[in-house]
Each structure stands twice: as structure tokens, then as C-alpha cells.
Amino acid sequence: MLDTARENFENAAKMMRKTFDPQLLKRVGTPKERSEIQLSSLLADGKIHLFKAFIVQHNDALGPCKGGIRMLPNVTLDDVSALAMEMTWKCSLIGVPFGGGKSGIVADADALSPDDKQRLVRRYARNALRHIHPLVYVPAPDMGTNERDMGYIKDAITFSMGVAATQGCYVTGKPVIMGGIPGRREATGRGVEITVLEAMKTLGRDIKGARVVVQGFGNVGSVAALLLQQRGAKIVGISDVDSGLWNDGGLDAEALGRHVAKTGRIKGFKGAKAMDRDKILTQPCDILAPSATGNQITEKNASKIKAAVIAEGANGPTTPGADEILDKRGVFIIPDILCNAGGVFVSYLEYTQETQAEQMTEEEVKARLEQRMRDRFQRVYDTARTKRLNMRKAAMHMAVHSVCTAHVARGFLP
Ligand code: NAD
């Protein structure tokens, strides 16, 4: 993942060598701070268990570092660095006053009991207290963590301060009842939907009847699938970490959501036939939405992909080599830093809401999200056309240019 993130950055930096000092470009391509933290948690079995956590602040020229907490058994400091770098570009592109950051906790969220997960998340909050602050680093959910965990983090922080509420926002994606914002949970998937609608309109294609494959049926994938289905698209393929589903006539994403809420997995869903998890990526469809994890579309499978549009719900799902193959074949890619930026945009609304002790309605949130996503899609598309770049290169150019401009505006100390 770090290789992909670095290569995407290098491609953008090359275009700006005449505009910005090479040392500045080097600086914005390098994380500001990378920390590894040991967590020792007393779990329900009465034993002390050791876990590792990482926090990376990539860049804060535009504002405090923003980025989710990924809890996976194989997450590495390099993955977290790649994701933090991506967050820098995403915040810059979507136009929120944040820099990029990310956390990782090396643990299997699915294997922990709810009680043990709560203990671990609280331990993370306690040990990461020096890093988490409205002006420094503000976490949010990512793979393996959710709204509930963000509630525990806020509670752990206020508990350690001996108060009920904080001044300013320490964490986003919290339950609405404790200062979260309505619509945050759906925001990333909704952003995927909005950018797909924009792409289809731009390409002169109809969303009604369009065949969609979604990889991953978690927060992002399940919402994107449901909303696209509600727009008249046919969800023909879905996968999760252990299986795939296919229904040529379109499966019911809402019913699948109920099945997953009960069983935790897509396996065993009656409304589709089973298909190999990775095979669904290369099946015939109009829109492919990789919404699971990184490096899923590679040199190995890129030439077999049949979709006309790829909507990157996940972070870093396409390797640079695959990008080249897809570009030559004329596949329209909505790059991750645009496609899945709805989550951080609504996190920004939550941040401002909490800072000003205001309350926003779901309608306001939806309207602002839709307006921002459409606007940024159009700007990226216009940049792509005028500079003769593909969508990823155009998005990266805009994002890196803004971060460098912020550094120049701040000036440099001797
Ligand atoms: P999640 O943990 O809720 O869901 C992840 C889903 O992917 C699960 O269904 C899991 O089974 C599936 N999965 C994992 N590995 C897979 C594989 N190899 N093949 C198929 N399915 C697989 O996570 P999420 O919050 O939905 O995040 C998904 C992606 O979107 C991640 O890349 C994340 O960084 C990105 N993202 C999330 C948000 C957000 O607000 N949650 C915002 C921006 C980007």
C-alpha cells in the first residue's frame, strides 16, 4: 500500500517540479510523525494481552490530522503511513481544513468479544491521549472499528479529564446521542453513490438497469450497494472477506443487509448463488465498486476487468500498474481520494458542529454532502480535461498543489 501511495504521489510531484521547490515536494511526500504504541489490556479472561498500535500524522499544513482507526490482525506501520498520506490528499481535494493522519491497531476485531473490544479501544484511547486532540489528530472509524468504538473513545477521553464533554471535537463518527452527526455512518457510501451518478451522467450512461459489482459489504460497500439499487441499478455481485455472491437478475441489497446483521457474513444468503470471492471482480458489469481493502485490482486481473466505471470506495484498491492498463483500455476510474471522501467531509461537519455546540439535521448534512461531492467531481473532471490527465492524476495534481500552496503560505523558518 505504501508503494502505491508513494508512486501516486511521485507521479503528481513530477508535474509540479517547476512550480514548487523539490525539497518542499519531498517534505509533503514524507510523514511528519510515525508512532508505534504498546497497548497492554486486561481482557475478560483476567489475563494481560499485548497489542501494538500505530499513529501516523502525515501532514498538517492545512489543519489538524484527520483519519480513521483500522483494526486488523495484519495492519502495519507502512499501511498506516500510506493511509495517512492518502488522507492528506483527500482532505485537501474535498476542501476541508484538515491534514492527513491514520491509526492502526493490530488485532482481529471479529475475534474479540464486544467486551474485550471495548477494553482494547479504551486502552488505545488512553495510550494515544498525547496524540488525540482537536488541533492535532482527530480519529474516526475505519475497517474493523465503528460508531460504537468512537463513543468509547470520547468517553475514555472525557473520563480522563474528569468532565462530561470536551471543548472541541476529539473524535468523529460518534453515536449521534453523544455529539455525533446524523448521516455520518452512511456518508462514505453516499459519496460513492453521488460520484457514480456524476460519472454515469458525464459518460452519457443511464444508472437505471446498470449492472453493479461491489467488493466488500461493510460500512461503505453495503450503503453504496443499497443507494445505487435505490437509483435503479442492478446489484449483480457482492463479496466479503470469505465469499462472493452473484445474481444475474440483481440481488436485493436491503435483504442482504438484514442477513448480514443477523449472521455477520454474506454467506448463506438465499437471494443469490455463491461465487468465488475474487472472481466477482472480473465478471461482466458496468460499474465495479471495490469497497473492501487495498491492492485488489493489480497487473494480474486489470486486463480481465470488464466494468466501464470503477468507483474506489476503498482506499488504494488499484495498483499503479493496474491503473496504466485500465487507463489504456479507457476505463473511467473515480479515484479513492474523491470517491470515498464523503466520510471525511461529514466528519468535518461533525467537527464544526461540536466545536460550535450546534446541531445539524440529517437533511442539512445530506444536502451539503451532495453539493460538495458533485462540485469536486466536476472540478476534477474539468482539470482532467484541460490538463489531459486521467481522473486520478487530475485529483492528485489538485490535492498536492493545495498542500504545497499551504506550506508556501505558511512560509519557512531559516
Ligand atoms: P468494514 O470493516 O465496515 O467493511 C469491510 C468489508 O470488506 C467487510 O465486508 C469485509 O468482509 C470485506 N473484505 C475485507 N477483505 C476483503 C477481500 N479481500 N475481498 C472482499 N471483501 C473483503 O470497513 P469499511 O469502513 O466499509 O471500509 C472499507 C474500505 O473503505 C476501506 O478501504 C476503508 O479504508 C475505506 N474507507 C472507509 C471509510 C468509512 O467511513 N468507513 C471512509 C473512507 C474510506
Side-chain angles (χ1 to χ4, degrees):
M1 283 180 81
L2 189 54
D3 289 344
T4 299
R6 278 191 182 138
E7 200 167 330
N8 286 335
F9 167 71
E10 287 304 332
N11 285 336
K14 263 186 222 154
M15 294 185 264
M16 274 169 258
R17 285 213 179 115
K18 288 193 181 136
T19 318
F20 297 109
D21 186 321
Q23 289 303 107
L24 170 58
L25 287 167
K26 197 170 170 189
R27 174 166 175 195
V28 301
T30 311
K32 181 175 179 259
E33 202 175 318
R34 304 201 318 163
S35 307
E36 181 177 318
I37 301 168
Q38 301 300 326
L39 310 179
S40 53
S41 213
L42 186 65
L43 298 188
D45 62 6
K47 294 184 182 146
I48 295 169
H49 294 253
L50 303 182
F51 299 90
K52 229 176 233 173
F54 310 113
I55 298 183
V56 176
Q57 292 174 41
H58 180 81
N59 187 288
D60 61 359
L62 286 168
C65 297
K66 190 81 192 74
I69 306 167
R70 183 166 286 202
M71 187 186 286
L72 285 181
N74 56 357
V75 68
T76 64
L77 180 54
D78 278 352
D79 290 347
V80 177
S81 304
L83 292 161
M85 177 165 6
E86 278 241 337
M87 284 305 296
T88 301
W89 316 137
K90 197 181 297 181
C91 293
S92 162
L93 183 71
I94 207 70
V96 292
F98 291 138
K102 200 86 183 182
S103 290
I105 302 176
V106 186
D108 185 352
D110 290 341
L112 289 167
S113 69
D115 183 27
D116 281 349
K117 192 177 182 207
Q118 179 176 177
R119 288 168 187 242
L120 177 56
V121 168
R122 285 180 182 278
R123 168 57 63 180
Y124 158 84
R126 191 161 159 185
N127 285 34
L129 211 52
R130 280 183 303 114
H131 303 266
I132 301 174
H133 188 276
L135 303 178
V136 180
Y137 166 60
V138 184
D142 191 66
M143 287 180 87
T145 59
N146 54 31
E147 189 176 286
R148 193 135 206 225
D149 302 320
M150 301 308 116
Y152 297 148
I153 291 175
K154 177 164 176 179
D155 186 61
I157 290 170
T158 52
F159 178 82
S160 69
M161 291 174 171
V163 292
T166 53
Q167 267 192 332
C169 179
Y170 281 70
V171 56
T172 61
K174 307 178 287 293
V176 173
I177 193 79
M178 57 190 297
I181 194 158
R184 170 62 184 89
R185 202 186 67 75
E186 299 83 12
T188 307
R190 194 174 289 285
V192 173
E193 176 220 11
I194 297 164
T195 54
V196 166
L197 295 182
E198 290 301 297
M200 293 296 273
K201 204 165 66 189
T202 303
L203 298 173
R205 285 171 160 257
D206 200 348
I207 190 68
K208 290 213 168 57
R211 294 161 65 79
V212 180
V213 169
V214 181
Q215 184 196 37
F217 199 69
N219 177 307
V220 180
S222 65
V223 174
L226 182 63
L227 294 177
L228 287 170
Q229 176 179 300
Q230 287 169 357
R231 295 283 181 175
K234 256 191 211 171
I235 312 299
V236 288
I238 298 245
S239 63
D240 71 2
V241 71
D242 53 25
S243 57
L245 290 175
W246 191 264
N247 184 335
D248 226 33
L251 57 78
D252 181 352
E254 199 173 351
L256 180 60
R258 287 194 296 272
H259 170 83
V260 172
K262 257 194 242 153
T263 66
R265 290 280 185 259
I266 63 170
K267 213 178 203 160
F269 177 62
K270 297 275 185 280
K273 60 179 194 213
M275 184 180 273
D276 176 75
R277 183 190 82 176
D278 296 333
K279 219 171 136 189
I280 70 149
L281 294 175
T282 52
Q283 297 304 301
C285 65
D286 300 298
I287 300 157
L288 170 63
S291 308
T293 185
N295 292 341
Q296 296 301 300
I297 304 176
T298 64
E299 285 93 324
K300 277 195 189 146
N301 60 6
S303 56
K304 296 186 203 138
I305 281 173
K306 301 184 184 68
V309 173
I310 296 181
E312 294 186 335
N315 284 315
T318 312
T319 64
D323 236 3
E324 257 180 50
I325 297 170
L326 295 164
D327 201 26
K328 279 192 192 128
R329 291 184 45 219
V331 177
F332 188 93
I333 300 184
I334 313 169
D336 50 3
I337 59 170
L338 170 66
C339 190
N340 70 37
V344 77
F345 179 70
V346 173
S347 274
Y348 158 69
L349 298 182
E350 181 175 337
Y351 183 92
T352 55
Q353 174 185 265
E354 200 166 1
T355 308
Q356 293 158 21
E358 261 191 35
Q359 282 179 338
M360 276 186 217
T361 65
E362 189 162 358
E363 283 60 41
E364 283 173 274
V365 170
K366 276 191 197 166
R368 287 189 66 175
L369 173 65
E370 184 170 342
Q371 193 258 336
R372 182 63 64 103
M373 295 302 296
R374 281 171 176 235
D375 172 72
R376 296 297 144 147
F377 179 95
Q378 205 49 53
R379 287 193 199 198
V380 175
Y381 185 69
D382 290 346
T383 304
R385 284 181 57 143
T386 51
K387 291 195 180 295
R388 292 172 181 274
L389 298 170
N390 65 28
M391 288 288 280
R392 185 179 323 279
K393 287 189 174 146
M396 281 297 292
H397 187 283
M398 289 167 65
V400 175
H401 193 279
S402 292
V403 175
C404 290
T405 305
H407 274 286
V408 172
R410 280 171 180 263
F412 301 94
L413 283 176

